[in-house]
Amino acid sequence: MTKPAVDVNFLLNFLTGLLNTPSPTGYTEQALHFVQDALTTLQIDTHLTNKGALIATWPGAASAHPRALTAHVDTLGAMVKDIDAITGRLRLSRLGGFAWASVEGEGCTIITGDGRSIRGTILPRKASVHVHSGPEVEKLERTDANMEVRVDAKVRSGEDTRRLGIEVGDFIAFDPRVEVTDTGFVRSRHL
C-alpha cells in the first residue's frame, strides 16, 4: 500500500490558522468552523451535531472495520468573574488546568458578549516593586484571587471598563504565540 502524499504547506497553514483562532473552553464555534472548512476543502463530508460536535466521515475501501478519531479544539483560557469597581481590572476564573505563573505577563484578548475583541495583559494584582513596596510583590501567590487582566484601554473604574462593552461572563483567550521555526518545528502555547 502506498502512502498518500502529504502537503506540508497545507498542514502548516491549517495548524497555524487553527492555533491562532481563539477557542477557550466554551467558545469554540469559530475553531469548529475553521476545521470544518478545511475538511470541506479536502472533500470530506462533515456536519455539526445539535450539541456542537463536528462529525467528519471519510469512507475507506471497506466498512467492516470502521475506525474513529476524536480531538478537541478548545484551549486554555479564562472568563471574566468580576470587574474591579475602583481599577476597572478584570478578576478571572480559569478555563482549563493551567498554573497562573505560566500566563503571567502574557497578552490576551477579551471577547465581549457582542463579539468584539479587546486586548489586555494578565498580571498579578501587585505586579511592580516600583508601586508596591516590600517582599510581598515577589512572594505574592499566583492564585485566582491575585491575578487579573489589565485592559489595554484608558479605564479608571469598573464603569469605564463596562463602557467598553466588557461584562462578567466574557471569554478571555490567551495569546497562542504560534511560531514555525526555520528547522520545521511548530511552537505554541496550545500544542
Side-chain angles (χ1 to χ4, degrees):
M1 174 186 211
T2 56
K3 295 181 182 177
V6 175
D7 185 342
V8 175
N9 285 331
F10 177 85
L11 288 178
L12 280 176
N13 287 334
F14 170 77
L15 181 59
T16 57
L18 181 59
L19 290 169
N20 281 311
T21 301
S23 58
T25 300
Y27 185 84
T28 58
E29 188 174 334
Q30 188 178 356
L32 281 172
H33 287 294
F34 185 87
V35 173
Q36 186 174 33
D37 290 346
L39 292 171
T40 300
T41 298
L42 297 171
Q43 299 179 346
I44 296 175
D45 292 329
T46 65
H47 73 276
L48 289 165
T49 69
N50 290 340
K51 298 219 177 212
L54 176 64
I55 306 265
T57 304
W58 186 5
S63 61
H65 300 287
R67 296 183 180 145
L69 169 71
T70 64
H72 65 90
V73 295
D74 64 327
T75 56
L76 302 175
M79 184 174 276
V80 177
K81 177 169 63 175
D82 188 30
I83 300 172
D84 187 283
I86 298 168
T87 67
R89 292 186 178 191
L90 311 177
R91 303 280 184 262
L92 309 173
S93 290
R94 287 185 281 186
L95 298 176
F98 63 91
W100 280 117
S102 70
V103 294
E104 181 177 333
E106 288 291 338
C108 63
T109 300
I110 303 127
I111 303 162
T112 66
D114 64 2
R116 287 181 292 131
S117 296
I118 300 169
R119 298 288 293 155
T121 306
I122 303 164
L123 295 167
R125 292 181 85 179
K126 297 180 179 178
S128 172
V129 294
H130 300 290
V131 177
H132 305 281
S133 61
E136 66 182 286
V137 174
E138 291 183 23
K139 292 182 180 181
L140 185 70
E141 288 187 45
R142 278 29 182 190
T143 63
D144 290 4
N146 292 330
M147 299 301 288
E148 61 188 11
V149 169
R150 178 186 64 206
V151 180
D152 293 345
K154 291 183 179 181
V155 295
R156 290 178 170 61
S157 68
E159 188 177 300
D160 288 347
T161 299
R162 283 192 159 89
R163 271 197 285 273
L164 294 172
I166 297 172
E167 275 300 336
V168 170
D170 287 347
F171 288 97
I172 298 184
F174 302 155
D175 286 358
R177 296 186 290 139
V178 179
E179 178 184 351
V180 179
T181 69
D182 58 0
T183 55
F185 285 82
V186 178
R187 299 176 52 184
S188 174
R189 169 183 310 286
H190 302 306
L191 285 178

